[in-house]
Amino acid sequence: MTKPQPKLRPLPAFIFMTRWLQLPLYLGLILAQCVYVFHFWVELKDLIGAVLGNEAALQHIFQAVAVPGAPLPEKLNETTIMLVVLGLIDVVMISNLLVMVIIGGYETFISRMNLDEHPDQPEWLSHVNASVLKTKLAMAIIGISSIHLLKTFINASVYDAKTLIAQTGIHVVFLLSALAISYTDRITTLTHNESH
């Protein structure tokens, strides 16, 4: 028989209840997710339209992949398609990041979702905590940064050396930050396990 939970005093109960103030933030992120879904389908529709010969869709695609200072492409080629697809992958990765923040954050900071028996429960959610969420977010940011860096390198002839070095440096900083977060979490976990 489970022990009844002791009733919280009024002030701790009020402070604990304030965690629900985060709920509108997560609902806002869900709306942001809807915007990304809409953006994804607009870009995909235009890519398919451009392939099928729709001139308006083709011009939209050229504008979407245009780099300031570079001439617009004149026809749909492999590089243009690759840049559009990388943009779509970028949207998907940011969307994945949003899902991790929404579900993981709600589960960690607001309330349990009780998904233990649900067949679609994400694998990572069973052991989610603030440090796991931090590591997963860092990895997702590295993935997004990689796509942006690849897009820059595809158009490397348009950018000056300073921009290329700066973007590469920022990406390296993201990598080192993720390694530092992972290393710190590993030390914390080992210390916690040794203390038990």
Side-chain angles (χ1 to χ4, degrees):
M1 189 167 158
T2 57
K3 236 167 126 179
Q5 292 292 323
K7 195 167 182 213
L8 287 174
R9 295 190 317 274
L11 183 58
F14 172 73
I15 292 170
F16 185 56
M17 190 180 67
T18 61
R19 73 193 189 281
W20 287 99
L21 289 172
Q22 289 192 350
L23 183 61
L25 305 180
Y26 291 113
L27 294 176
L29 287 179
I30 291 169
L31 290 176
Q33 176 96 318
C34 293
V35 171
Y36 267 106
V37 169
F38 178 76
H39 176 70
F40 180 92
W41 285 107
V42 167
E43 293 296 314
L44 184 62
K45 176 182 74 69
D46 282 339
L47 178 62
I48 292 169
V51 169
L52 296 175
N54 182 316
E55 189 60 35
L58 188 62
Q59 290 309 313
H60 180 265
I61 289 295
F62 290 159
Q63 292 294 331
V65 300
V67 177
L72 281 178
E74 294 178 9
K75 60 178 185 166
L76 195 64
N77 55 28
E78 185 184 347
T79 304
T80 307
I81 293 170
M82 190 189 333
L83 286 168
V84 174
V85 171
L86 283 173
L88 294 176
I89 293 169
D90 194 26
V91 170
V92 170
M93 293 189 80
I94 292 172
S95 192
N96 290 343
L97 181 63
L98 282 168
V99 168
M100 278 191 276
V101 171
I102 294 165
I103 296 175
Y106 183 91
E107 176 89 9
T108 304
F109 300 110
I110 297 181
S111 182
R112 295 273 177 236
M113 290 183 160
N114 298 321
L115 296 174
D116 293 338
E117 302 301 318
H118 198 283
D120 293 330
Q121 178 194 9
E123 178 271 328
W124 53 268
L125 193 60
S126 60
H127 53 272
V128 76
N129 57 37
S131 64
V132 169
L133 202 54
K134 249 189 314 188
T135 306
K136 291 213 170 283
L137 291 176
M139 297 308 292
I141 288 168
I142 288 169
I144 293 164
S145 173
S146 299
I147 288 174
H148 282 270
L149 194 59
L150 181 57
K151 284 162 96 171
T152 301
F153 284 152
I154 288 171
N155 292 305
S157 60
V158 179
Y159 295 101
D160 59 3
K162 194 189 287 186
T163 304
L164 294 171
I165 291 167
Q167 286 200 13
T168 305
I170 290 167
H171 183 68
V172 169
V173 168
F174 283 148
L175 284 170
L176 293 175
S177 299
L179 287 171
I181 289 169
S182 297
Y183 182 68
T184 306
D185 286 343
R186 186 164 183 255
I187 290 173
T188 307
T189 305
L190 289 172
T191 309
H192 179 73
N193 290 343
E194 284 170 9
S195 65
H196 281 19

